[in-house]
Amino acid sequence: MSASVAPLVSSLYVHVPFCAQKCSYCAFYSEAASGELIQRYVSALVRELELVSADLRPTTIFFGGGTPSLLNLRQWEQVFGAMERHGLLGAQEFTVECNPATVSADKAKLLRDFGVNRISMGVQSLDEALLDRLGRVHSREMVFKSFDVLRRAGFENLNLDLMFAIPGQTMDIWRATLDEALALGSEHLSSYEVIYEEDTPLYAQLNAGEFDVNEELACDMYEELVARTDAHGLAQYEIANFARRAAQGGTLTSESGTALIPSRACRHNVNYWRGGSFHGIGPSATGYVQGMRTKNWSNTQMYCEQLEKGVRAIESREKLPPLARAGETAAFGLRMNVGWGFEEFLQVTGFDLRNEWAADMEELMHRGRAVKTSDGFRLTSHGLRFADSAAEQFLRTQETVIS
Ligand SMILES: C[S@@+](CC[C@H](N)C(=O)[O-])C[C@H]1O[C@@H](n2cnc3c(N)ncnc32)[C@H](O)[C@@H]1O
Ligand code: SF4
């Protein structure tokens, strides 16, 4: 009798839970920490890398946070050394998130030497007053300088993160930031509307009536974003993500008229949105392997204690029933311009969108937010603005199996 072999996992997310200081809007798990805790975390991470390495052959790796660029050269060497020992280097796409205040030529060179080939830099705004308001540790000048440092180190695939609908941001300020950011010529741009996350200073300010949310202005800013990125040669492929079109140009459409995914799209994130599996390590990281979703403890001390005992720091495991999982996969995929091909969705989930979700698709088309062709279904550019409510509609909640 032959033992069954677990399928290999081709994506790895690593969470680095430290920031120089906490931004006023951010609810990601991260803290300003001592050098001692950072060093303890690095040792624990090395242990966790070993624990997940057996079925892991990463073609995409993403170090996010937090601020991964906060790790020093020695700590990066320790992490890369462990990855090398376990055969985890050499991914096709290897992204590290950086804050413009923590990029140096030495660090950029080291990352490049170990196969990091994509950097995602948190810019948020190029207006000094807004950077201040957001609690960012960097100036606009640091953005330009760090971009240059990264290019000189040989990075040919750069992403910039921007935010819009920031309190105090006028349309003129937004246009100026967009134009300056686009002029840098990155291969990729991510741009998020501000989310007021509970337990953040920005949320408290909103509740205290210090400013109002202007929904109409936010919509106009989104339209401006879509128009200006398009004019600049970046194709929208997900509600908040834009990537450079192929050099030879041409429109990125399939026979059925649906948009294709540009080659500079973030493959790691595309894997999430298409329902692929991935390991997630580091405090608060989630993973999804063989239908099981795991979540690590959002507590760096606890995380380190567990790994020091030689076990993973998993807080919860959850296996969704097939229909609930399919609903989630539908919802994720609809965030992308390409939407879902009916056959592709059937293959990934075992369910047919045309049966289970027929009424939902009709309703969205009726509201002018979606298009159905003979082979697939997708939200329109206008409909993507409301992707979150469309996503809700596609969910099929059922009781989950917790182990
Ligand atoms: C996890 S952060 C990591 C980036 C890096 N730490 C930095 O900020 O320089 C990824 C991105 O999420 C976005 N983001 C974080 N909190 C947000 C919020 N409340 N609303 C909208 N976007 C947010 C920011 O654009 C940020 O760059
Ligand atoms: S936005 Fe980035 S730098 Fe700011 S607190 Fe969040 S993770 Fe840290």
Side-chain angles (χ1 to χ4, degrees):
M1 200 171 69
S2 66
S4 67
V5 180
L8 294 175
V9 178
S10 61
S11 262
L12 171 67
Y13 174 76
V14 180
H15 193 77
V16 182
F18 307 111
C19 291
Q21 76 182 26
K22 201 70 199 161
C23 302
S24 65
Y25 52 87
C26 181
F28 286 95
Y29 177 65
S30 71
E31 59 183 334
S34 67
E36 205 180 318
L37 184 62
I38 298 180
Q39 188 50 53
R40 196 172 163 206
Y41 156 83
V42 169
S43 304
L45 184 67
V46 162
R47 192 81 181 90
E48 198 179 18
L49 274 168
E50 184 189 337
L51 294 176
V52 296
S53 63
D55 65 348
L56 181 60
R57 300 288 177 281
T59 56
T60 75
I61 301 174
F62 197 107
F63 274 66
T67 309
S69 53
L70 213 57
L71 301 187
N72 64 31
L73 294 180
R74 237 189 63 75
Q75 290 161 339
W76 274 114
E77 275 167 357
Q78 260 180 280
V79 173
F80 289 140
M83 292 176 74
E84 198 160 32
R85 281 196 300 283
H86 300 299
L88 304 177
L89 290 178
Q92 284 166 18
E93 182 190 270
F94 188 165
T95 305
V96 171
E97 276 184 347
C98 288
N99 182 299
T102 49
V103 173
S104 69
D106 286 355
K107 214 175 277 180
K109 182 176 180 314
L110 183 84
L111 296 180
R112 194 69 202 88
D113 287 349
F114 278 94
V116 175
N117 53 19
R118 185 171 183 274
I119 297 287
S120 176
M121 192 156 68
V123 172
Q124 322 313 352
S125 177
L126 289 167
D127 180 87
E128 291 290 4
L130 288 183
L131 286 174
D132 221 40
R133 166 143 216 185
L134 294 174
R136 300 290 296 174
V137 287
H138 62 86
S139 63
R140 49 177 271 122
E141 277 317 306
M142 283 183 202
V143 172
F144 301 122
K145 193 169 157 263
S146 295
F147 193 90
D148 194 43
V149 165
L150 292 168
R151 282 291 197 226
R152 280 172 198 267
F155 285 99
E156 292 172 352
N157 197 2
L158 297 179
N159 169 56
L160 304 178
D161 282 346
L162 295 180
M163 287 166 69
F164 65 94
I166 304 167
Q169 187 182 37
T170 61
M171 183 59 105
D172 281 347
I173 295 177
W174 174 227
R175 284 194 187 115
T177 286
L178 254 181
D179 287 348
E180 280 191 296
L182 289 168
L184 281 170
S186 64
E187 287 66 34
H188 195 282
L189 185 87
S190 301
S191 187
Y192 307 99
E193 179 175 345
V194 168
I195 300 169
Y196 292 93
E197 303 275 6
E198 270 183 59
D199 298 327
T200 61
L202 203 66
Y203 181 82
Q205 289 163 20
L206 176 67
N207 276 351
E210 289 181 27
F211 55 83
D212 289 324
V213 171
N214 185 338
E215 187 50 39
E216 205 177 312
L217 180 60
C219 273
D220 291 347
M221 286 181 170
Y222 173 76
E223 301 290 341
E224 198 70 14
L225 166 70
V226 173
R228 285 191 186 224
T229 45
D230 183 54
H232 224 87
L234 298 182
Q236 183 183 30
Y237 67 98
E238 194 263 356
I239 176 168
N241 285 284
F242 305 80
R244 189 156 296 294
R245 291 194 185 89
Q248 61 270 33
T251 46
L252 291 160
T253 49
S254 69
E255 277 174 28
S256 63
T258 53
L260 295 177
I261 302 172
S263 60
R264 291 296 197 168
C266 176
R267 294 181 198 188
H268 184 84
N269 287 338
V270 168
N271 178 57
Y272 292 147
W273 296 318
R274 305 323 282 171
S277 56
F278 57 95
H279 273 300
I281 64 173
S284 82
T286 56
Y288 179 67
V289 175
Q290 292 191 62
M292 179 74 83
R293 197 161 40 200
T294 55
K295 184 166 192 326
N296 276 358
W297 288 102
S298 300
N299 179 322
T300 304
Q301 293 277 352
M302 267 169 83
Y303 171 80
C304 292
E305 280 163 21
Q306 288 299 101
L307 269 305
E308 283 156 11
K309 287 186 219 151
V311 289
R312 290 194 63 197
I314 296 177
E315 178 188 14
S316 61
R317 289 185 167 82
E318 180 185 40
K319 193 152 197 167
L320 292 181
L323 180 60
R325 178 62 202 165
E328 245 188 38
T329 306
F332 272 131
L334 287 179
R335 295 180 60 86
M336 298 188 71
N337 295 56
V338 73
W340 278 110
F342 295 129
E343 285 307 317
E344 181 193 8
F345 188 77
L346 194 57
Q347 261 186 23
V348 174
T349 67
F351 288 88
D352 195 331
L353 275 176
R354 291 163 292 195
N355 298 336
E356 178 63 34
W357 290 272
D360 303 293
M361 290 197 288
E362 280 308 319
E363 201 263 337
L364 283 168
M365 286 189 293
H366 184 71
R367 296 172 78 180
R369 292 184 179 179
V371 189
K372 191 167 88 174
T373 61
S374 57
D375 54 8
F377 178 75
R378 67 188 161 91
L379 298 181
T380 58
S381 181
H382 164 74
L384 279 175
R385 176 79 179 72
F386 307 97
D388 287 342
S389 81
E392 290 263 316
Q393 228 174 305
F394 276 69
L395 294 180
R396 294 290 182 267
T397 42
Q398 290 173 338
E399 232 174 87
T400 58
V401 181
I402 315 262
S403 64

